[in-house]
Amino acid sequence: MFNTFILPIIIFAALGLIAGILLTAASKIFHVKTDERTEQISEALPQANCGSCGYAGCSDYAKAIVEKGAPTNLCRPGGTETTQKISAIMGTTAAEMIPETAVVHCRGNCDTVKQLFEFNGTQTCAAAKRFYSGSKACAYGCIGLGDCVNVCDEKAIEIVNGVAEVTGNCIACGKCAKACPQGLISLKPITKHIDVKCSSKDNGKATKLACSNGCIGCKICEKKCQNDAIKVVDLHAVIDYDKCTGCGDCFNACPVKAITNCEDLK
Amino acid sequence: MKSIFIIMLSAVFVDNFVLSKFMGICPFLGVSKKLSSSLGMGAAVIFVMVCATAVTYPVYSGILAPNGLEYLNTVSFILIIALFVQLVEIALKKIMPPLYNALGVYLPLITTNCAVLGVTLINIENGYSFVESLANSFFVGVGFTLSLILFSGVRSKLETADIPQTFKGVPSTLIAASIVSISFLAFSGLIK
């Protein structure tokens, strides 16, 4: 009687009790203090969990602000409003927040760049990239199958005439920049309107043969720039947005029109 | 030493928990999308398996077996494993926050991982000594990690493969899992 019924019950009660006591003790010993400001900041953030701040998500960023003193102006989707809210919670003055936008550094559309072959495989850029870097003659350009379009939650980027273009309201989460197998997309301050729309690492002749919109690396823009803001790196021009004043000298000087000026285009 | 070596071969290859015994399939399919997360899950499972064995073995041989209550092992082991995973989670959160963050959701998931319960029960069933049980748990964990890593490689290829619409997603993943499982059949008969 005792061995069949009561002993198992006693053993189980004891096991359960020990487990309960151990867990209670552990939760007291290993109690981690959580700051209530973390939750407040978490609520103030847009909860897009896009990761553009450099942290794993909104709650992770909130934790980093409180515990590690991370800057309050890293949330791009939230913009100035969110920065002010967070700064109010933390009791600091709001740092200025310059909104950013994604920009595609390629303008090799269906009219300007030659098609070498027709790609009938899986219709993603990543798959096409493995196959001779896409079907276009330029191995560095936009493949145009829309991997960036597929990752964009805001529907801010689309394929126009075979080339990705940021057309909608970009929140600068940077997902498209990570998705692009060619690495053509980068983020820039929204106030800067001069862009180099080519990333070709080929020399001038090869670029010219492949695409009529390509940067041939002639360095005329480098000479014309008064602020030392544009440099030819890897045989194509790259703008340093910290120095660029948007004067448009390089845009006017470029012989192949690889540089664009949004104000003039729109 | 010889018996430990045989346990290693058996646990990692011949009787691989996921691919031969079909235990722990849920995390195998759920966490094998990326190599980094399968490594994290594998490390967490190895850790919990060894620790759970270190506790369940004494409980079985010290309390249950002497009183003729062997039939209670399953339910008491579940209790102990659940307790253990909770303790590990609480302790890690305080002592090693980076590791806690890296493991993330996988840590509580292990509570419901049948492979952990399976390994503690099989240790008892096979009549292993304490050291052999620990070794078996460790190598079963290694085998679990190996299958996760192998399958994450397979899945990364599946992502870009041109699969008929009907088979996209879970069906193709399950078929791929069965093929990987068949390939592990080649190890059977390695140990007599």
Side-chain angles (χ1 to χ4, degrees):
Chain A
M1 176 67 193
F2 178 77
N3 261 354
T4 14
F5 296 110
I6 301 173
L7 190 65
I9 294 172
I10 292 175
I11 288 177
F12 254 89
L15 267 180
L17 198 66
I18 293 170
I21 291 170
L22 271 176
L23 277 184
T24 319
S27 65
K28 283 266 182 281
I29 295 168
F30 296 116
H31 182 68
V32 184
K33 259 193 195 162
T34 45
D35 202 315
E36 60 180 26
R37 286 181 299 178
T38 313
E39 214 155 278
Q40 287 173 346
I41 293 173
S42 212
E43 273 166 27
L45 289 168
Q47 295 300 334
N49 288 321
C50 64
S52 64
C53 51
Y55 296 93
C58 290
S59 61
D60 202 37
Y61 176 44
K63 223 161 106 185
I65 294 173
V66 175
E67 287 166 17
K68 295 173 200 154
T72 54
N73 60 344
L74 296 181
C75 184
R76 290 186 190 131
T80 323
E81 199 184 320
T82 307
T83 305
Q84 280 167 352
K85 269 191 212 163
I86 299 172
S87 302
I89 295 167
M90 292 300 291
T92 53
T93 45
E96 200 191 345
M97 165 88 195
I98 300 167
E100 290 191 311
T101 179
V103 55
V104 183
H105 295 286
C106 178
R107 219 157 45 119
N109 58 33
C110 297
D111 308 326
T112 62
V113 67
K114 290 170 194 75
Q115 291 281 335
L116 292 182
F117 55 89
E118 203 168 312
F119 180 69
N120 280 328
T122 310
Q123 295 294 306
T124 66
C125 303
K129 160 99 175 153
R130 292 185 182 182
F131 205 75
Y132 300 108
S133 291
S135 59
K136 284 178 181 168
C138 175
Y140 302 97
C142 175
I143 295 169
L145 293 173
D147 280 13
C148 48
V149 178
N150 292 336
V151 293
C152 185
D153 297 328
E154 305 294 318
K155 302 210 176 355
I157 193 164
E158 58 184 322
I159 304 292
V160 181
N161 199 13
V163 176
E165 206 179 311
V166 181
T167 48
N169 186 19
C170 176
I171 61 166
C173 66
K175 277 183 188 163
C176 51
K178 281 180 202 145
C180 180
Q182 302 282 57
L184 294 173
I185 305 174
S186 66
L187 298 174
K188 60 148 192 183
I190 210 160
T191 49
K192 310 282 181 180
H193 48 83
I194 304 280
D195 301 307
V196 178
K197 292 267 185 173
C198 180
S199 306
S200 171
K201 296 189 180 87
D202 278 334
N203 62 32
K205 194 183 174 197
T207 308
K208 194 77 200 161
L209 277 175
C211 172
S212 58
N213 270 349
C215 170
I216 53 174
C218 63
K219 300 198 179 183
I220 290 176
C221 49
E222 233 184 83
K223 288 176 197 117
K224 288 279 176 188
C225 184
Q226 297 153 5
N227 305 304
D228 210 19
I230 189 162
K231 283 270 171 314
V232 173
V233 184
D234 284 340
L235 300 171
H236 63 266
V238 176
I239 293 177
D240 181 350
Y241 287 112
D242 290 338
K243 292 178 186 162
C244 178
T245 57
C247 62
D249 284 354
C250 53
F251 166 71
N252 293 328
C254 183
V256 289
K257 298 291 167 211
I259 299 170
T260 59
N261 187 337
C262 291
E263 285 187 334
D264 281 24
L265 278 177
K266 274 175 186 169
Chain B
M1 227 22 244
K2 198 183 159 198
S3 69
I4 301 260
F5 182 69
I6 288 176
I7 285 173
M8 183 197 91
L9 277 183
S10 152
V12 178
F13 297 111
V14 183
D15 287 329
N16 187 293
F17 255 48
V18 177
L19 299 171
S20 299
K21 295 201 167 176
F22 311 119
M23 275 192 258
I25 299 286
C26 154
F28 173 66
L29 293 176
V31 205
S32 59
K33 268 187 190 146
K34 276 186 192 164
L35 183 61
S36 56
S37 57
S38 34
L39 277 174
M41 184 66 184
V45 165
I46 292 176
F47 181 68
V48 172
M49 274 183 176
V50 173
C51 294
T53 307
V55 180
T56 51
Y57 191 86
V59 166
Y60 179 82
S61 54
I63 303 172
L64 296 181
N67 295 310
L69 298 172
E70 286 90 345
Y71 67 92
L72 281 178
N73 58 6
T74 308
V75 66
S76 55
F77 285 6
I78 290 174
L79 189 69
I80 290 165
I81 290 166
L83 163 76
F84 209 84
V85 173
Q86 282 295 310
L87 276 180
V88 170
E89 200 188 340
I90 295 170
L92 270 187
K93 202 174 181 181
K94 173 80 174 183
I95 301 165
M96 282 187 278
L99 184 63
Y100 175 81
N101 288 333
L103 291 178
V105 72
Y106 309 132
L107 205 52
L109 261 182
I110 299 168
T111 322
T112 50
N113 185 345
C114 64
V116 180
L117 179 65
V119 76
T120 53
L121 288 173
I122 281 169
N123 285 337
I124 306 289
E125 213 172 89
N126 288 356
Y128 286 146
S129 72
F130 185 59
V131 178
E132 283 171 341
S133 294
L134 285 181
N136 187 40
S137 305
F138 177 75
F139 289 118
V140 163
V142 172
F144 179 84
T145 315
L146 177 75
S147 55
L148 240 66
I149 290 170
L150 284 178
F151 201 54
S152 70
V154 173
R155 279 182 92 159
S156 71
K157 287 277 174 196
L158 270 182
E159 295 260 301
T160 49
D162 192 9
I163 302 167
Q165 189 65 40
T166 343
F167 284 98
K168 264 184 190 158
V170 184
S172 63
T173 310
L174 287 173
I175 291 168
S178 72
I179 294 171
V180 176
S181 169
I182 289 170
S183 73
F184 262 66
L185 274 182
F187 289 114
S188 66
L190 197 65
I191 298 166
K192 283 192 177 154

Short mmCIF file of all heavy atoms in Angstrom, two decimals, chain A residues 3-4 7-8 11-12 15-16 19 22-23 26-27 29-32 63 120-122 126-127 130, chain B residues 59 63-64 67 69 71-72 75-76 79-80 83 86-87 90-91 93-95 101 157 160-162:
data_model
loop_
_atom_site.label_atom_id
_atom_site.label_comp_id
_atom_site.label_asym_id
_atom_site.label_seq_id
_atom_site.Cartn_x
_atom_site.Cartn_y
_atom_site.Cartn_z
N ASN A 3 4.14 1.48 -0.54
CA ASN A 3 5.09 1.52 -1.65
C ASN A 3 4.41 1.77 -2.99
O ASN A 3 4.98 2.39 -3.87
CB ASN A 3 5.86 0.20 -1.71
CG ASN A 3 7.22 0.35 -1.06
OD1 ASN A 3 7.59 1.46 -0.70
ND2 ASN A 3 7.93 -0.74 -0.89
N THR A 4 3.19 1.27 -3.17
CA THR A 4 2.55 1.42 -4.47
C THR A 4 1.88 2.78 -4.66
O THR A 4 1.88 3.32 -5.74
CB THR A 4 1.47 0.34 -4.69
OG1 THR A 4 1.20 -0.26 -3.45
CG2 THR A 4 1.88 -0.67 -5.72
N LEU A 7 4.21 6.34 -1.62
CA LEU A 7 5.59 6.73 -1.91
C LEU A 7 5.73 7.52 -3.22
O LEU A 7 6.38 8.58 -3.22
CB LEU A 7 6.49 5.48 -1.93
CG LEU A 7 7.98 5.79 -1.98
CD1 LEU A 7 8.43 6.51 -0.71
CD2 LEU A 7 8.80 4.51 -2.16
N PRO A 8 5.12 7.04 -4.33
CA PRO A 8 5.22 7.85 -5.56
C PRO A 8 4.68 9.25 -5.37
O PRO A 8 5.26 10.22 -5.88
CB PRO A 8 4.35 7.08 -6.56
CG PRO A 8 4.20 5.72 -6.01
CD PRO A 8 4.40 5.79 -4.55
N ILE A 11 7.22 11.23 -3.42
CA ILE A 11 8.38 11.56 -4.26
C ILE A 11 8.05 12.68 -5.23
O ILE A 11 8.81 13.64 -5.39
CB ILE A 11 8.86 10.30 -5.03
CG1 ILE A 11 9.53 9.34 -4.06
CG2 ILE A 11 9.85 10.70 -6.14
CD1 ILE A 11 9.98 8.04 -4.70
N PHE A 12 6.86 12.60 -5.84
CA PHE A 12 6.50 13.64 -6.80
C PHE A 12 6.26 14.98 -6.14
O PHE A 12 6.68 16.01 -6.66
CB PHE A 12 5.27 13.22 -7.62
CG PHE A 12 5.68 12.86 -8.99
CD1 PHE A 12 6.06 11.56 -9.27
CD2 PHE A 12 5.81 13.82 -9.96
CE1 PHE A 12 6.53 11.22 -10.51
CE2 PHE A 12 6.27 13.50 -11.20
CZ PHE A 12 6.63 12.19 -11.48
N LEU A 15 9.68 16.31 -5.39
CA LEU A 15 10.34 16.81 -6.61
C LEU A 15 9.77 18.16 -7.03
O LEU A 15 10.51 19.10 -7.33
CB LEU A 15 10.16 15.81 -7.75
CG LEU A 15 11.25 14.75 -7.96
CD1 LEU A 15 10.88 13.85 -9.12
CD2 LEU A 15 12.60 15.43 -8.22
N GLY A 16 8.42 18.23 -7.03
CA GLY A 16 7.77 19.48 -7.43
C GLY A 16 8.13 20.62 -6.51
O GLY A 16 8.41 21.74 -6.94
N ALA A 19 11.71 21.69 -7.07
CA ALA A 19 11.78 22.45 -8.32
C ALA A 19 11.25 23.86 -8.11
O ALA A 19 11.86 24.84 -8.55
CB ALA A 19 10.99 21.74 -9.41
N LEU A 22 13.70 25.89 -5.95
CA LEU A 22 14.90 26.23 -6.72
C LEU A 22 14.63 27.37 -7.70
O LEU A 22 15.41 28.31 -7.81
CB LEU A 22 15.38 25.00 -7.51
CG LEU A 22 16.36 24.08 -6.80
CD1 LEU A 22 16.65 22.85 -7.65
CD2 LEU A 22 17.66 24.82 -6.49
N LEU A 23 13.48 27.28 -8.40
CA LEU A 23 13.17 28.32 -9.39
C LEU A 23 12.92 29.66 -8.72
O LEU A 23 13.37 30.70 -9.21
CB LEU A 23 11.94 27.91 -10.21
CG LEU A 23 12.20 26.99 -11.38
CD1 LEU A 23 10.93 26.74 -12.15
CD2 LEU A 23 13.25 27.59 -12.31
N ALA A 26 16.24 30.96 -7.63
CA ALA A 26 17.03 31.39 -8.78
C ALA A 26 16.53 32.72 -9.31
O ALA A 26 17.32 33.61 -9.63
CB ALA A 26 16.98 30.33 -9.87
N SER A 27 15.20 32.87 -9.36
CA SER A 27 14.69 34.13 -9.91
C SER A 27 15.00 35.30 -8.98
O SER A 27 15.10 36.43 -9.43
CB SER A 27 13.18 34.02 -10.17
OG SER A 27 12.50 33.86 -8.96
N ILE A 29 17.84 35.33 -6.90
CA ILE A 29 19.31 35.50 -6.95
C ILE A 29 19.72 36.16 -8.26
O ILE A 29 20.52 37.08 -8.29
CB ILE A 29 20.03 34.14 -6.80
CG1 ILE A 29 19.76 33.55 -5.42
CG2 ILE A 29 21.55 34.31 -7.00
CD1 ILE A 29 20.16 32.11 -5.28
N PHE A 30 19.13 35.64 -9.35
CA PHE A 30 19.55 36.12 -10.66
C PHE A 30 18.62 37.21 -11.19
O PHE A 30 18.49 37.37 -12.40
CB PHE A 30 19.59 34.95 -11.66
CG PHE A 30 20.61 33.92 -11.31
CD1 PHE A 30 20.24 32.64 -10.97
CD2 PHE A 30 21.96 34.25 -11.29
CE1 PHE A 30 21.19 31.69 -10.65
CE2 PHE A 30 22.90 33.31 -10.96
CZ PHE A 30 22.52 32.02 -10.64
N HIS A 31 17.96 37.92 -10.29
CA HIS A 31 17.02 38.94 -10.74
C HIS A 31 17.76 40.03 -11.52
O HIS A 31 18.77 40.57 -11.07
CB HIS A 31 16.31 39.56 -9.54
CG HIS A 31 15.31 40.59 -9.94
ND1 HIS A 31 14.16 40.27 -10.61
CD2 HIS A 31 15.29 41.93 -9.79
CE1 HIS A 31 13.48 41.37 -10.84
NE2 HIS A 31 14.14 42.40 -10.36
N VAL A 32 17.25 40.32 -12.72
CA VAL A 32 17.86 41.37 -13.52
C VAL A 32 16.98 42.61 -13.46
O VAL A 32 15.79 42.55 -13.76
CB VAL A 32 18.01 40.92 -15.00
CG1 VAL A 32 18.74 41.98 -15.79
CG2 VAL A 32 18.77 39.60 -15.06
N LYS A 63 16.78 49.19 -25.32
CA LYS A 63 17.65 48.70 -24.26
C LYS A 63 19.03 49.35 -24.37
O LYS A 63 19.64 49.76 -23.38
CB LYS A 63 17.78 47.18 -24.37
CG LYS A 63 17.69 46.47 -23.04
CD LYS A 63 17.37 45.01 -23.25
CE LYS A 63 18.57 44.16 -23.01
NZ LYS A 63 18.32 42.75 -23.32
N ASN A 120 16.30 32.40 -68.23
CA ASN A 120 15.03 31.70 -67.98
C ASN A 120 15.01 30.94 -66.67
O ASN A 120 14.12 30.17 -66.40
CB ASN A 120 14.75 30.71 -69.13
CG ASN A 120 14.18 31.43 -70.33
OD1 ASN A 120 13.47 32.42 -70.16
ND2 ASN A 120 14.51 30.97 -71.50
N GLY A 121 16.05 31.16 -65.83
CA GLY A 121 16.09 30.45 -64.55
C GLY A 121 15.13 31.06 -63.54
O GLY A 121 14.22 31.80 -63.91
N THR A 122 15.34 30.74 -62.25
CA THR A 122 14.51 31.33 -61.20
C THR A 122 14.63 32.84 -61.28
O THR A 122 15.74 33.38 -61.33
CB THR A 122 14.99 30.85 -59.82
OG1 THR A 122 15.09 29.44 -59.86
CG2 THR A 122 14.02 31.27 -58.73
N ALA A 126 19.48 37.13 -57.18
CA ALA A 126 20.50 36.28 -56.58
C ALA A 126 20.81 35.09 -57.48
O ALA A 126 21.96 34.70 -57.65
CB ALA A 126 20.06 35.81 -55.20
N ALA A 127 19.75 34.50 -58.08
CA ALA A 127 19.95 33.35 -58.97
C ALA A 127 20.63 33.78 -60.26
O ALA A 127 21.55 33.13 -60.75
CB ALA A 127 18.61 32.68 -59.25
N ARG A 130 24.44 34.43 -60.20
CA ARG A 130 25.33 33.26 -60.29
C ARG A 130 25.56 32.86 -61.73
O ARG A 130 26.46 32.10 -62.02
CB ARG A 130 24.71 32.07 -59.54
CG ARG A 130 24.65 32.30 -58.06
CD ARG A 130 24.16 31.07 -57.36
NE ARG A 130 24.07 31.34 -55.94
CZ ARG A 130 23.70 30.45 -55.03
NH1 ARG A 130 23.39 29.24 -55.41
NH2 ARG A 130 23.66 30.76 -53.77
N VAL B 59 18.83 10.85 -10.05
CA VAL B 59 17.45 10.76 -9.57
C VAL B 59 16.90 9.37 -9.83
O VAL B 59 16.28 8.74 -8.96
CB VAL B 59 16.56 11.82 -10.25
CG1 VAL B 59 15.07 11.52 -10.03
CG2 VAL B 59 16.88 13.21 -9.71
N ILE B 63 16.71 7.41 -6.43
CA ILE B 63 15.38 7.50 -5.81
C ILE B 63 14.39 6.52 -6.43
O ILE B 63 13.75 5.74 -5.73
CB ILE B 63 14.81 8.94 -5.93
CG1 ILE B 63 15.79 9.94 -5.30
CG2 ILE B 63 13.46 9.04 -5.25
CD1 ILE B 63 15.42 11.39 -5.55
N LEU B 64 14.29 6.52 -7.77
CA LEU B 64 13.21 5.75 -8.41
C LEU B 64 13.50 4.25 -8.41
O LEU B 64 12.68 3.46 -7.95
CB LEU B 64 12.98 6.25 -9.84
CG LEU B 64 12.49 7.70 -9.97
CD1 LEU B 64 12.29 8.07 -11.43
CD2 LEU B 64 11.20 7.91 -9.20
N ASN B 67 13.21 2.02 -5.14
CA ASN B 67 11.86 1.86 -4.63
C ASN B 67 10.93 1.14 -5.61
O ASN B 67 9.72 1.11 -5.42
CB ASN B 67 11.27 3.22 -4.27
CG ASN B 67 12.02 3.86 -3.12
OD1 ASN B 67 12.24 3.22 -2.09
ND2 ASN B 67 12.46 5.09 -3.30
N LEU B 69 10.12 2.09 -8.64
CA LEU B 69 9.20 3.04 -9.30
C LEU B 69 9.71 3.41 -10.69
O LEU B 69 9.57 4.55 -11.13
CB LEU B 69 9.04 4.29 -8.45
CG LEU B 69 8.44 4.09 -7.06
CD1 LEU B 69 8.52 5.36 -6.26
CD2 LEU B 69 7.00 3.63 -7.18
N TYR B 71 8.61 2.92 -13.49
CA TYR B 71 7.58 3.39 -14.44
C TYR B 71 7.36 4.90 -14.37
O TYR B 71 6.77 5.50 -15.25
CB TYR B 71 6.25 2.67 -14.20
CG TYR B 71 5.58 3.01 -12.88
CD1 TYR B 71 4.65 4.04 -12.79
CD2 TYR B 71 5.89 2.29 -11.71
CE1 TYR B 71 4.05 4.35 -11.60
CE2 TYR B 71 5.30 2.60 -10.52
CZ TYR B 71 4.37 3.63 -10.46
OH TYR B 71 3.79 3.95 -9.28
N LEU B 72 7.89 5.54 -13.32
CA LEU B 72 7.70 6.98 -13.17
C LEU B 72 8.76 7.80 -13.90
O LEU B 72 8.72 9.03 -13.87
CB LEU B 72 7.73 7.36 -11.69
CG LEU B 72 6.46 7.10 -10.89
CD1 LEU B 72 6.68 7.47 -9.44
CD2 LEU B 72 5.31 7.91 -11.46
N VAL B 75 7.71 10.76 -16.59
CA VAL B 75 7.06 11.98 -16.09
C VAL B 75 7.99 12.77 -15.17
O VAL B 75 8.04 14.00 -15.21
CB VAL B 75 5.70 11.63 -15.42
CG1 VAL B 75 5.89 10.81 -14.17
CG2 VAL B 75 4.92 12.89 -15.12
N SER B 76 8.82 12.04 -14.39
CA SER B 76 9.73 12.80 -13.52
C SER B 76 10.85 13.46 -14.32
O SER B 76 11.31 14.54 -14.00
CB SER B 76 10.32 11.89 -12.43
OG SER B 76 10.93 10.78 -13.02
N LEU B 79 9.65 16.72 -15.75
CA LEU B 79 9.68 17.74 -14.70
C LEU B 79 11.09 18.29 -14.53
O LEU B 79 11.30 19.51 -14.50
CB LEU B 79 9.19 17.12 -13.39
CG LEU B 79 8.94 18.07 -12.23
CD1 LEU B 79 7.76 18.93 -12.51
CD2 LEU B 79 8.73 17.28 -10.94
N ILE B 80 12.06 17.38 -14.46
CA ILE B 80 13.45 17.80 -14.22
C ILE B 80 13.99 18.61 -15.39
O ILE B 80 14.65 19.64 -15.21
CB ILE B 80 14.34 16.57 -13.94
CG1 ILE B 80 13.96 15.97 -12.58
CG2 ILE B 80 15.81 16.95 -13.95
CD1 ILE B 80 14.48 14.58 -12.35
N LEU B 83 12.47 22.06 -15.39
CA LEU B 83 13.10 22.84 -14.33
C LEU B 83 14.48 23.30 -14.78
O LEU B 83 14.85 24.47 -14.61
CB LEU B 83 13.24 21.98 -13.07
CG LEU B 83 14.24 22.49 -12.02
CD1 LEU B 83 13.65 23.66 -11.27
CD2 LEU B 83 14.64 21.39 -11.07
N GLN B 86 14.54 26.07 -17.38
CA GLN B 86 14.17 27.34 -16.74
C GLN B 86 15.35 27.91 -15.96
O GLN B 86 15.66 29.10 -16.06
CB GLN B 86 12.98 27.11 -15.79
CG GLN B 86 11.65 27.01 -16.49
CD GLN B 86 11.28 28.31 -17.15
OE1 GLN B 86 11.33 29.36 -16.53
NE2 GLN B 86 10.97 28.25 -18.43
N LEU B 87 16.00 27.05 -15.15
CA LEU B 87 17.15 27.50 -14.36
C LEU B 87 18.25 28.06 -15.26
O LEU B 87 18.79 29.13 -15.00
CB LEU B 87 17.71 26.33 -13.55
CG LEU B 87 17.04 26.03 -12.21
CD1 LEU B 87 17.71 24.84 -11.55
CD2 LEU B 87 17.12 27.24 -11.30
N ILE B 90 17.25 31.49 -16.59
CA ILE B 90 17.35 32.56 -15.59
C ILE B 90 18.80 32.90 -15.30
O ILE B 90 19.20 34.07 -15.26
CB ILE B 90 16.61 32.16 -14.29
CG1 ILE B 90 15.12 31.99 -14.56
CG2 ILE B 90 16.84 33.19 -13.21
CD1 ILE B 90 14.37 31.36 -13.42
N ALA B 91 19.61 31.85 -15.14
CA ALA B 91 21.01 32.07 -14.79
C ALA B 91 21.77 32.74 -15.93
O ALA B 91 22.54 33.68 -15.71
CB ALA B 91 21.67 30.74 -14.43
N LYS B 93 20.62 34.67 -18.21
CA LYS B 93 20.18 36.05 -18.39
C LYS B 93 21.00 36.98 -17.51
O LYS B 93 21.31 38.11 -17.88
CB LYS B 93 18.69 36.15 -18.02
CG LYS B 93 18.00 37.35 -18.63
CD LYS B 93 16.51 37.29 -18.33
CE LYS B 93 15.78 38.46 -18.94
NZ LYS B 93 14.36 38.43 -18.65
N LYS B 94 21.34 36.49 -16.31
CA LYS B 94 22.09 37.31 -15.36
C LYS B 94 23.59 37.23 -15.63
O LYS B 94 24.28 38.25 -15.68
CB LYS B 94 21.78 36.82 -13.94
CG LYS B 94 22.62 37.48 -12.86
CD LYS B 94 22.07 38.83 -12.50
CE LYS B 94 22.83 39.42 -11.33
NZ LYS B 94 22.29 40.69 -10.92
N ILE B 95 24.10 36.01 -15.80
CA ILE B 95 25.55 35.82 -15.83
C ILE B 95 26.13 36.13 -17.21
O ILE B 95 27.14 36.82 -17.33
CB ILE B 95 25.92 34.36 -15.43
CG1 ILE B 95 25.39 34.08 -14.02
CG2 ILE B 95 27.43 34.17 -15.45
CD1 ILE B 95 25.38 32.62 -13.66
N ASN B 101 21.23 36.33 -25.26
CA ASN B 101 20.67 37.01 -26.43
C ASN B 101 20.89 36.20 -27.70
O ASN B 101 20.03 36.16 -28.57
CB ASN B 101 21.28 38.40 -26.59
CG ASN B 101 20.76 39.35 -25.52
OD1 ASN B 101 19.66 39.16 -25.02
ND2 ASN B 101 21.56 40.33 -25.16
N LYS B 157 20.65 25.84 -50.54
CA LYS B 157 20.61 25.53 -51.97
C LYS B 157 19.16 25.50 -52.47
O LYS B 157 18.87 25.92 -53.59
CB LYS B 157 21.25 24.16 -52.23
CG LYS B 157 22.75 24.18 -52.10
CD LYS B 157 23.40 24.67 -53.38
CE LYS B 157 24.90 24.83 -53.16
NZ LYS B 157 25.53 25.62 -54.19
N THR B 160 17.33 28.87 -53.80
CA THR B 160 17.45 29.41 -55.15
C THR B 160 17.10 28.38 -56.22
O THR B 160 17.19 28.68 -57.39
CB THR B 160 18.89 29.93 -55.39
OG1 THR B 160 19.80 28.93 -54.98
CG2 THR B 160 19.14 31.21 -54.63
N ALA B 161 16.71 27.17 -55.78
CA ALA B 161 16.40 26.15 -56.77
C ALA B 161 15.05 26.42 -57.42
O ALA B 161 14.17 27.04 -56.82
CB ALA B 161 16.38 24.78 -56.11
N ASP B 162 14.92 25.97 -58.66
CA ASP B 162 13.67 26.17 -59.40
C ASP B 162 12.76 24.97 -59.13
O ASP B 162 12.91 23.91 -59.73
CB ASP B 162 13.99 26.29 -60.90
CG ASP B 162 12.78 26.79 -61.67
OD1 ASP B 162 11.79 27.19 -61.02
OD2 ASP B 162 12.84 26.78 -62.90
#
